[in-house]
Amino acid sequence: MAELPQISVLGLDRTELASLVDTLGEPAYRARQLGEAVYRQRAESMEEISTLSRELRGKLAEKGVSVGLPRIEKRFVSQDGTVRYLIAFADGQSVETVWMPEGDGGEAGDGSEAGEVAERFEEAGPNKNPKPRQGQNQGRSTICISSQVGCAVDCQFCLTALLGVKRNLTAGEIVGQVCAVLKDQNVSPPEDRINLVFMGMGEPFLNYENFVKAARLLVEEVGIAERRMTVSTAGIVPRIHDFGGEAIRPKLAISLNASNDALRTRLMPLNKKWNLEMLMAAARAYPLRTREWITFEYVLLGGVNDAPENAKEVTELLRGMRCKVNLIALNPGPGIDFTTPDTERVAAFQKILRDAGIPAFVRRPRGLDIYAGCGQLKRTVEIATAPAL
Ligand code: SAH
Protein backbone atom coordinates (compact mmCIF):
# COMPACT_ATOMS: atom_id res chain seq x y z
CA MET A 1 0.00 0.00 0.00
CA ALA A 2 1.24 3.47 -0.84
CA GLU A 3 2.35 5.58 2.11
CA LEU A 4 -0.14 8.24 3.06
CA PRO A 5 1.22 11.75 2.83
CA GLN A 6 1.64 12.91 6.40
CA ILE A 7 0.01 16.21 7.26
CA SER A 8 0.66 17.78 10.65
CA VAL A 9 -1.91 20.07 12.15
CA LEU A 10 0.97 21.88 13.85
CA GLY A 11 2.13 24.29 11.20
CA LEU A 12 -1.30 24.95 9.66
CA ASP A 13 -2.74 28.42 10.03
CA ARG A 14 -6.44 29.29 10.28
CA THR A 15 -7.01 29.37 6.53
CA GLU A 16 -5.25 26.04 6.01
CA LEU A 17 -7.15 24.42 8.87
CA ALA A 18 -10.41 25.73 7.41
CA SER A 19 -9.70 24.25 4.00
CA LEU A 20 -8.64 20.92 5.50
CA VAL A 21 -11.88 20.67 7.46
CA ASP A 22 -13.81 21.76 4.39
CA THR A 23 -12.35 19.02 2.20
CA LEU A 24 -13.60 16.51 4.79
CA GLY A 25 -17.10 17.95 4.44
CA GLU A 26 -17.11 19.16 8.03
CA PRO A 27 -18.52 22.45 9.34
CA ALA A 28 -16.16 25.40 9.73
CA TYR A 29 -16.20 25.46 13.54
CA ARG A 30 -14.31 22.16 13.51
CA ALA A 31 -11.26 24.02 12.26
CA ARG A 32 -11.29 26.21 15.34
CA GLN A 33 -11.69 23.17 17.61
CA LEU A 34 -8.80 21.41 15.95
CA GLY A 35 -6.56 24.48 16.20
CA GLU A 36 -7.50 25.03 19.85
CA ALA A 37 -6.80 21.42 20.77
CA VAL A 38 -3.39 21.39 19.12
CA TYR A 39 -2.04 24.89 19.77
CA ARG A 40 -3.67 25.71 23.11
CA GLN A 41 -4.41 22.40 24.82
CA ARG A 42 -1.36 20.87 23.17
CA ALA A 43 -2.90 17.47 22.53
CA GLU A 44 -0.37 14.80 21.62
CA SER A 45 -2.60 12.68 19.44
CA MET A 46 -5.91 12.86 17.59
CA GLU A 47 -7.44 10.30 19.97
CA GLU A 48 -6.94 12.79 22.79
CA ILE A 49 -9.06 15.45 21.12
CA SER A 50 -12.42 14.61 22.64
CA THR A 51 -14.13 17.71 21.27
CA LEU A 52 -13.99 16.09 17.82
CA SER A 53 -16.39 13.28 16.93
CA ARG A 54 -15.00 9.78 16.59
CA GLU A 55 -16.05 9.89 12.96
CA LEU A 56 -14.06 13.03 12.24
CA ARG A 57 -11.01 11.64 14.01
CA GLY A 58 -11.35 8.60 11.76
CA LYS A 59 -11.54 10.76 8.64
CA LEU A 60 -8.47 12.72 9.70
CA ALA A 61 -6.52 9.54 10.31
CA GLU A 62 -7.55 8.23 6.87
CA LYS A 63 -6.19 11.37 5.28
CA GLY A 64 -2.88 10.92 7.10
CA VAL A 65 -3.43 13.93 9.37
CA SER A 66 -1.66 13.82 12.71
CA VAL A 67 -1.03 16.38 15.44
CA GLY A 68 2.68 16.55 14.68
CA LEU A 69 3.91 17.36 18.18
CA PRO A 70 7.63 16.55 18.23
CA ARG A 71 8.93 14.11 20.79
CA ILE A 72 11.15 15.06 23.71
CA GLU A 73 13.94 12.55 23.44
CA LYS A 74 16.12 13.75 26.32
CA ARG A 75 16.28 16.39 29.00
CA PHE A 76 19.38 17.73 30.70
CA VAL A 77 18.78 19.83 33.80
CA SER A 78 21.35 22.39 34.91
CA GLN A 79 22.13 23.40 38.47
CA ASP A 80 20.77 26.84 37.59
CA GLY A 81 17.42 25.39 36.52
CA THR A 82 18.04 25.66 32.77
CA VAL A 83 16.79 22.63 30.85
CA ARG A 84 18.26 21.56 27.52
CA TYR A 85 15.87 19.43 25.51
CA LEU A 86 16.74 17.14 22.67
CA ILE A 87 13.63 17.22 20.49
CA ALA A 88 13.05 14.71 17.69
CA PHE A 89 10.89 15.04 14.59
CA ALA A 90 9.09 12.48 12.45
CA ASP A 91 12.11 11.77 10.22
CA GLY A 92 14.38 11.10 13.19
CA GLN A 93 16.28 14.40 12.91
CA SER A 94 16.54 16.33 16.14
CA VAL A 95 17.38 19.77 17.48
CA GLU A 96 17.98 21.32 20.85
CA THR A 97 15.62 23.68 22.62
CA VAL A 98 16.45 25.42 25.89
CA TRP A 99 14.16 26.38 28.75
CA MET A 100 15.47 29.16 30.97
CA PRO A 101 13.27 29.60 34.02
CA GLU A 102 12.49 32.76 35.97
CA GLY A 103 14.60 35.82 36.11
CA ASP A 104 15.87 35.66 32.58
CA GLY A 105 16.64 38.65 30.48
CA GLY A 106 13.15 39.63 29.43
CA GLU A 107 12.59 40.73 25.88
CA ALA A 108 15.95 39.72 24.63
CA GLY A 109 15.82 36.53 26.62
CA ASP A 110 19.39 37.27 27.17
CA GLY A 111 19.95 35.79 30.56
CA SER A 112 21.96 38.78 31.65
CA GLU A 113 22.15 39.83 35.24
CA ALA A 114 20.93 43.10 33.86
CA GLY A 115 18.46 41.69 31.37
CA GLU A 116 15.56 42.72 33.47
CA VAL A 117 16.95 46.20 33.87
CA ALA A 118 17.43 46.24 30.10
CA GLU A 119 13.78 45.47 29.58
CA ARG A 120 12.58 48.14 31.97
CA PHE A 121 15.08 50.52 30.44
CA GLU A 122 13.44 49.99 27.07
CA GLU A 123 10.01 50.56 28.49
CA ALA A 124 11.05 53.76 30.22
CA GLY A 125 13.06 55.21 27.34
CA PRO A 126 16.71 56.20 27.25
CA ASN A 127 16.60 59.23 29.48
CA LYS A 128 14.46 57.94 32.28
CA ASN A 129 15.31 55.75 35.19
CA PRO A 130 13.85 52.28 34.93
CA LYS A 131 10.97 51.74 37.33
CA PRO A 132 11.08 48.65 39.51
CA ARG A 133 8.21 46.28 38.90
CA GLN A 134 6.26 44.27 41.41
CA GLY A 135 6.69 40.52 41.35
CA GLN A 136 8.80 40.73 38.26
CA ASN A 137 10.29 37.31 38.64
CA GLN A 138 6.91 35.64 38.53
CA GLY A 139 6.93 33.25 35.62
CA ARG A 140 9.22 35.19 33.32
CA SER A 141 10.73 32.28 31.55
CA THR A 142 12.40 32.10 28.17
CA ILE A 143 12.41 29.37 25.56
CA CYS A 144 15.29 29.36 23.11
CA ILE A 145 14.26 27.60 19.90
CA SER A 146 16.09 26.24 16.87
CA SER A 147 15.28 27.06 13.27
CA GLN A 148 17.44 24.53 11.42
CA VAL A 149 19.02 21.14 12.08
CA GLY A 150 22.61 22.31 12.38
CA CYS A 151 23.80 25.54 10.79
CA ALA A 152 25.55 26.58 7.58
CA VAL A 153 26.99 29.90 8.76
CA ASP A 154 30.26 28.54 10.17
CA CYS A 155 30.97 31.04 12.96
CA GLN A 156 34.35 29.98 14.33
CA PHE A 157 33.38 30.16 18.01
CA CYS A 158 30.08 28.24 17.77
CA LEU A 159 29.65 24.52 18.35
CA THR A 160 26.55 24.26 16.19
CA ALA A 161 28.70 25.25 13.21
CA LEU A 162 30.63 22.00 13.55
CA LEU A 163 27.50 20.09 12.51
CA GLY A 164 27.01 21.83 9.18
CA VAL A 165 23.38 22.16 8.15
CA LYS A 166 21.24 19.04 7.76
CA ARG A 167 17.95 20.64 6.83
CA ASN A 168 15.51 23.46 7.50
CA LEU A 169 12.79 23.01 10.07
CA THR A 170 9.20 23.44 8.91
CA ALA A 171 7.05 26.11 10.55
CA GLY A 172 5.26 23.28 12.38
CA GLU A 173 8.55 21.93 13.73
CA ILE A 174 9.57 25.38 14.97
CA VAL A 175 6.21 25.93 16.70
CA GLY A 176 6.26 22.28 17.84
CA GLN A 177 9.38 22.88 19.96
CA VAL A 178 7.52 25.60 21.84
CA CYS A 179 4.40 23.46 22.32
CA ALA A 180 6.43 20.48 23.51
CA VAL A 181 8.33 22.59 26.08
CA LEU A 182 5.22 24.44 27.31
CA LYS A 183 3.54 21.10 27.81
CA ASP A 184 6.52 19.60 29.59
CA GLN A 185 6.87 22.62 31.87
CA ASN A 186 3.12 22.75 32.39
CA VAL A 187 2.85 26.45 31.57
CA SER A 188 0.54 28.32 29.25
CA PRO A 189 0.80 31.75 27.68
CA PRO A 190 -0.58 34.36 27.99
CA GLU A 191 -1.34 33.57 31.67
CA ASP A 192 2.29 32.56 32.15
CA ARG A 193 4.74 35.11 30.90
CA ILE A 194 6.84 33.38 28.30
CA ASN A 195 9.60 34.98 26.24
CA LEU A 196 10.84 33.35 23.08
CA VAL A 197 14.19 33.73 21.42
CA PHE A 198 15.03 32.33 18.00
CA MET A 199 18.63 31.85 19.07
CA GLY A 200 19.03 28.09 19.14
CA MET A 201 20.54 25.98 16.39
CA GLY A 202 20.49 27.41 12.90
CA GLU A 203 20.19 30.74 11.17
CA PRO A 204 16.53 31.82 11.15
CA PHE A 205 17.05 34.15 8.18
CA LEU A 206 18.32 31.25 6.06
CA ASN A 207 14.99 29.52 6.71
CA TYR A 208 13.08 32.73 6.31
CA GLU A 209 9.60 31.69 5.12
CA ASN A 210 9.22 28.96 7.72
CA PHE A 211 10.53 31.21 10.47
CA VAL A 212 8.11 34.02 9.55
CA LYS A 213 5.17 31.63 9.41
CA ALA A 214 6.17 30.11 12.75
CA ALA A 215 6.31 33.56 14.35
CA ARG A 216 2.81 34.28 13.04
CA LEU A 217 1.45 30.96 14.37
CA LEU A 218 3.08 31.59 17.74
CA VAL A 219 1.34 34.95 17.97
CA GLU A 220 -2.04 34.00 16.48
CA GLU A 221 -2.46 30.44 17.69
CA VAL A 222 -0.19 29.85 20.68
CA GLY A 223 -0.83 33.31 22.16
CA ILE A 224 2.69 34.63 22.70
CA ALA A 225 2.94 38.39 22.16
CA GLU A 226 5.19 39.67 19.42
CA ARG A 227 7.07 41.90 21.85
CA ARG A 228 8.03 38.81 23.86
CA MET A 229 9.93 37.30 20.93
CA THR A 230 13.39 38.12 19.60
CA VAL A 231 15.02 36.72 16.49
CA SER A 232 18.77 36.77 16.17
CA THR A 233 20.55 36.78 12.82
CA ALA A 234 24.22 36.39 12.01
CA GLY A 235 23.66 39.15 9.44
CA ILE A 236 21.81 37.90 6.35
CA VAL A 237 21.49 41.44 5.01
CA PRO A 238 18.76 41.01 2.34
CA ARG A 239 16.52 39.27 4.86
CA ILE A 240 17.00 42.11 7.37
CA HIS A 241 15.49 44.39 4.73
CA ASP A 242 12.61 41.94 4.11
CA PHE A 243 11.97 41.43 7.79
CA GLY A 244 11.36 45.13 8.33
CA GLY A 245 8.32 44.81 6.08
CA GLU A 246 6.65 41.87 7.84
CA ALA A 247 3.24 42.43 9.41
CA ILE A 248 4.13 40.26 12.39
CA ARG A 249 7.73 40.47 13.49
CA PRO A 250 9.62 39.63 16.65
CA LYS A 251 12.27 42.07 17.82
CA LEU A 252 15.55 41.99 15.94
CA ALA A 253 18.96 41.08 17.31
CA ILE A 254 22.09 41.09 15.17
CA SER A 255 25.22 39.11 16.00
CA LEU A 256 27.96 41.68 15.52
CA ASN A 257 30.80 39.86 17.28
CA ALA A 258 33.60 41.92 15.79
CA SER A 259 34.45 45.59 15.46
CA ASN A 260 36.07 45.68 12.00
CA ASP A 261 35.83 43.76 8.74
CA ALA A 262 39.14 41.89 8.97
CA LEU A 263 38.24 40.52 12.39
CA ARG A 264 34.62 39.79 11.52
CA THR A 265 35.58 37.94 8.33
CA ARG A 266 37.95 35.79 10.36
CA LEU A 267 35.33 34.99 13.01
CA MET A 268 32.24 34.91 10.79
CA PRO A 269 33.07 34.02 7.17
CA LEU A 270 29.68 35.32 6.01
CA ASN A 271 31.16 38.80 6.47
CA LYS A 272 32.86 38.32 3.10
CA LYS A 273 29.46 38.35 1.48
CA TRP A 274 27.76 40.92 3.70
CA ASN A 275 30.36 43.18 5.28
CA LEU A 276 29.97 45.64 8.13
CA GLU A 277 29.11 48.52 5.87
CA MET A 278 26.21 46.57 4.34
CA LEU A 279 25.14 45.23 7.72
CA MET A 280 25.16 48.61 9.41
CA ALA A 281 23.30 50.19 6.48
CA ALA A 282 20.57 47.54 6.84
CA ALA A 283 20.42 48.05 10.61
CA ARG A 284 20.18 51.82 10.23
CA ALA A 285 17.42 51.49 7.64
CA TYR A 286 15.48 49.02 9.77
CA PRO A 287 12.03 50.43 10.63
CA LEU A 288 11.84 50.37 14.42
CA ARG A 289 8.48 50.58 16.16
CA THR A 290 7.73 52.76 19.16
CA ARG A 291 10.07 51.92 22.03
CA GLU A 292 11.81 49.30 19.94
CA TRP A 293 15.57 48.96 19.90
CA ILE A 294 17.89 46.80 17.87
CA THR A 295 20.01 44.51 19.98
CA PHE A 296 23.58 43.81 18.92
CA GLU A 297 25.18 40.70 20.36
CA TYR A 298 28.91 40.61 20.84
CA VAL A 299 30.69 37.41 21.88
CA LEU A 300 33.89 38.33 23.70
CA LEU A 301 36.86 36.13 22.81
CA GLY A 302 39.90 36.56 25.04
CA GLY A 303 42.68 38.48 23.29
CA VAL A 304 40.86 38.40 19.95
CA ASN A 305 38.03 40.95 19.90
CA ASP A 306 37.84 42.14 23.50
CA ALA A 307 40.44 44.95 23.63
CA PRO A 308 39.54 48.55 24.48
CA GLU A 309 40.28 49.46 20.83
CA ASN A 310 37.63 46.99 19.72
CA ALA A 311 35.12 48.55 22.09
CA LYS A 312 35.94 51.98 20.66
CA GLU A 313 35.43 50.69 17.12
CA VAL A 314 32.03 49.32 18.19
CA THR A 315 31.01 52.73 19.54
CA GLU A 316 31.88 54.21 16.12
CA LEU A 317 29.88 51.58 14.27
CA LEU A 318 26.81 52.11 16.43
CA ARG A 319 26.98 55.86 16.85
CA GLY A 320 23.56 57.47 16.85
CA MET A 321 21.63 54.21 16.48
CA ARG A 322 18.69 53.27 18.68
CA CYS A 323 20.30 50.10 19.94
CA LYS A 324 21.71 48.24 22.87
CA VAL A 325 24.53 45.75 23.12
CA ASN A 326 24.50 42.38 24.81
CA LEU A 327 27.98 41.21 25.67
CA ILE A 328 28.54 37.47 25.98
CA ALA A 329 31.79 36.10 27.32
CA LEU A 330 32.59 33.03 25.23
CA ASN A 331 30.95 29.80 26.33
CA PRO A 332 33.70 27.25 25.77
CA GLY A 333 33.29 23.92 24.06
CA PRO A 334 35.31 21.04 22.63
CA GLY A 335 36.83 22.00 19.29
CA ILE A 336 36.48 25.74 19.95
CA ASP A 337 39.91 27.41 19.85
CA PHE A 338 39.15 30.54 21.83
CA THR A 339 39.27 31.51 25.47
CA THR A 340 36.80 33.24 27.75
CA PRO A 341 37.99 36.69 28.86
CA ASP A 342 38.01 37.41 32.56
CA THR A 343 35.36 39.53 34.27
CA GLU A 344 37.52 42.67 34.46
CA ARG A 345 38.16 42.61 30.74
CA VAL A 346 34.42 42.22 30.04
CA ALA A 347 33.61 45.03 32.46
CA ALA A 348 36.18 47.32 30.83
CA PHE A 349 34.66 46.67 27.41
CA GLN A 350 31.18 47.36 28.76
CA LYS A 351 32.33 50.59 30.38
CA ILE A 352 33.69 51.99 27.12
CA LEU A 353 30.33 51.38 25.44
CA ARG A 354 28.39 52.86 28.32
CA ASP A 355 30.64 55.92 28.52
CA ALA A 356 29.84 56.49 24.84
CA GLY A 357 26.12 56.43 25.69
CA ILE A 358 25.44 52.92 24.38
CA PRO A 359 23.42 50.73 26.76
CA ALA A 360 25.49 47.59 27.19
CA PHE A 361 24.63 44.54 29.25
CA VAL A 362 26.55 41.42 30.15
CA ARG A 363 24.73 38.16 29.62
CA ARG A 364 24.77 35.80 32.51
CA PRO A 365 25.82 32.41 31.17
CA ARG A 366 23.09 29.81 31.53
CA GLY A 367 23.25 26.07 31.79
CA LEU A 368 26.97 25.78 31.06
CA ASP A 369 27.22 22.57 33.07
CA ILE A 370 24.87 20.89 30.59
CA TYR A 371 26.12 22.62 27.42
CA ALA A 372 22.97 24.68 27.10
CA GLY A 373 24.70 28.04 26.71
CA CYS A 374 24.78 30.21 23.58
CA GLY A 375 26.79 28.53 20.88
CA GLN A 376 26.92 25.23 22.75
CA LEU A 377 24.02 23.48 21.10
CA LYS A 378 25.33 20.57 19.15
CA ARG A 379 22.72 17.89 19.42
CA THR A 380 25.16 15.58 21.03
CA VAL A 381 24.32 13.54 24.04
CA GLU A 382 27.80 12.26 24.61
CA ILE A 383 29.29 15.60 25.59
CA ALA A 384 26.63 16.24 28.17
CA THR A 385 26.48 15.22 31.80
CA ALA A 386 24.09 12.47 32.85
CA PRO A 387 20.49 12.94 31.78
CA ALA A 388 18.38 14.07 34.67
CA LEU A 389 15.20 12.20 33.84
N1 SAH B 1 22.27 32.15 13.93
C1 SAH B 1 21.76 33.17 14.78
C2 SAH B 1 21.16 32.67 16.07
C3 SAH B 1 21.92 31.63 16.87
S1 SAH B 1 23.34 32.09 17.74
C4 SAH B 1 22.83 34.20 15.06
O1 SAH B 1 23.96 33.98 14.68
O2 SAH B 1 22.53 35.24 15.61
C5 SAH B 1 22.82 33.00 19.14
C6 SAH B 1 23.96 33.84 19.72
O3 SAH B 1 24.94 33.05 20.35
C7 SAH B 1 24.69 34.67 18.67
O4 SAH B 1 24.74 36.01 19.05
C8 SAH B 1 26.07 34.05 18.66
O5 SAH B 1 27.05 34.99 18.29
C9 SAH B 1 26.22 33.57 20.08
N2 SAH B 1 27.24 32.54 20.26
C10 SAH B 1 27.62 31.60 19.36
N3 SAH B 1 28.59 30.82 19.87
C11 SAH B 1 28.83 31.27 21.12
C12 SAH B 1 29.70 30.85 22.16
N4 SAH B 1 30.52 29.82 22.02
N5 SAH B 1 29.67 31.55 23.34
C13 SAH B 1 28.82 32.57 23.49
N6 SAH B 1 27.95 32.98 22.55
C14 SAH B 1 27.96 32.36 21.37
Side-chain angles (χ1 to χ4, degrees):
M1 207 176 85
E3 285 258 316
L4 280 174
Q6 278 295 316
I7 305 169
S8 303
V9 175
L10 264 171
L12 300 183
D13 62 20
R14 280 171 201 194
T15 318
E16 291 162 335
L17 281 171
S19 78
L20 171 68
V21 160
D22 190 53
T23 56
L24 298 174
E26 293 278 335
Y29 72 90
R30 292 293 189 196
R32 210 174 46 245
Q33 284 182 328
L34 196 52
E36 276 273 327
V38 168
Y39 290 111
R40 302 273 176 164
Q41 268 86 53
R42 293 178 274 280
E44 273 175 68
S45 66
M46 286 295 173
E47 297 81 72
E48 250 180 61
I49 310 178
S50 52
T51 46
L52 304 181
S53 64
R54 189 179 298 263
E55 192 203 340
L56 174 53
R57 281 182 268 163
K59 282 198 223 168
L60 287 164
E62 257 169 52
K63 266 207 128 208
V65 180
S66 65
V67 170
L69 190 71
R71 196 165 45 85
I72 295 176
E73 209 160 70
K74 286 217 160 62
R75 295 174 186 77
F76 303 92
V77 182
S78 161
Q79 282 165 6
D80 68 16
T82 302
V83 183
R84 175 165 65 93
Y85 290 94
L86 185 67
I87 295 190
F89 303 108
D91 67 349
Q93 292 285 3
S94 56
V95 294
E96 298 188 327
T97 309
V98 180
W99 166 260
M100 291 168 274
E102 321 227 314
D104 186 53
E107 67 45 68
D110 57 6
S112 64
E113 76 330 297
E116 193 184 278
V117 178
E119 186 179 357
R120 282 185 276 126
F121 173 92
E122 292 199 0
E123 285 174 7
N127 300 318
K128 301 191 192 104
N129 280 328
K131 293 188 284 300
R133 264 200 235 112
Q134 294 293 311
Q136 57 207 3
N137 277 342
Q138 286 302 308
R140 36 180 304 127
S141 305
T142 297
I143 304 175
C144 176
I145 53 183
S146 294
S147 53
Q148 298 180 306
V149 182
C151 189
V153 179
D154 204 24
C155 300
Q156 299 298 297
F157 43 80
C158 179
L159 274 179
T160 308
L162 301 175
L163 291 172
V165 67
K166 300 266 175 6
R167 69 168 173 86
N168 281 335
L169 296 187
T170 64
E173 288 169 334
I174 297 173
V175 176
Q177 293 168 65
V178 178
C179 291
V181 171
L182 292 175
K183 190 177 175 79
D184 193 61
Q185 293 289 338
N186 197 20
V187 290
S188 230
E191 301 80 46
D192 295 299
R193 223 172 110 174
I194 305 293
N195 297 307
L196 274 191
V197 293
F198 294 83
M199 298 188 186
M201 296 166 77
E203 168 50 50
F205 282 8
L206 290 180
N207 184 16
Y208 188 76
E209 300 300 329
N210 291 332
F211 151 70
V212 167
K213 185 177 185 192
R216 181 160 60 82
L217 291 170
L218 287 162
V219 172
E220 290 177 347
E221 306 301 331
V222 182
I224 300 178
E226 235 175 319
R227 63 173 191 288
R228 301 217 162 281
M229 301 184 197
T230 303
V231 62
S232 177
T233 179
I236 313 298
V237 167
R239 295 291 90 75
I240 295 176
H241 288 293
D242 295 344
F243 190 54
E246 295 293 341
I248 291 183
R249 59 182 156 112
K251 295 192 199 179
L252 178 65
I254 295 176
S255 297
L256 183 61
N257 296 339
S259 57
N260 59 60
D261 274 320
L263 194 52
R264 195 162 190 270
T265 299
R266 181 178 145 210
L267 300 175
M268 302 174 74
L270 99 167
N271 194 67
K272 275 182 274 188
K273 188 156 184 185
W274 296 296
N275 64 19
L276 280 172
E277 194 187 337
M278 295 160 90
L279 183 63
M280 288 303 139
R284 284 179 192 278
Y286 188 75
L288 291 166
R289 293 159 288 198
T290 319
R291 292 209 196 113
E292 188 179 0
W293 300 57
I294 292 190
T295 300
F296 287 93
E297 296 148 292
Y298 195 101
V299 185
L300 290 161
L301 311 169
V304 174
N305 66 354
D306 64 340
E309 299 74 61
N310 298 118
K312 285 189 203 104
E313 284 179 335
V314 171
T315 67
E316 293 305 319
L317 285 172
L318 304 185
R319 189 176 296 282
M321 280 184 74
R322 220 197 309 159
C323 67
K324 68 180 172 79
V325 175
N326 278 343
L327 299 170
I328 325 167
L330 174 80
N331 295 321
I336 299 300
D337 280 339
F338 296 102
T339 56
T340 310
D342 57 36
T343 341
E344 290 74 42
R345 189 106 165 151
V346 174
F349 198 99
Q350 179 185 26
K351 185 168 186 306
I352 293 170
L353 298 185
R354 288 200 164 174
D355 287 350
I358 299 170
F361 303 92
V362 180
R363 273 193 189 181
R364 176 160 51 98
R366 306 290 301 241
L368 293 192
D369 53 340
I370 54 157
Y371 280 97
C374 295
Q376 292 192 312
L377 305 185
K378 198 182 166 249
R379 206 198 43 164
T380 43
V381 285
E382 64 272 22
I383 58 169
T385 49
L389 290 172

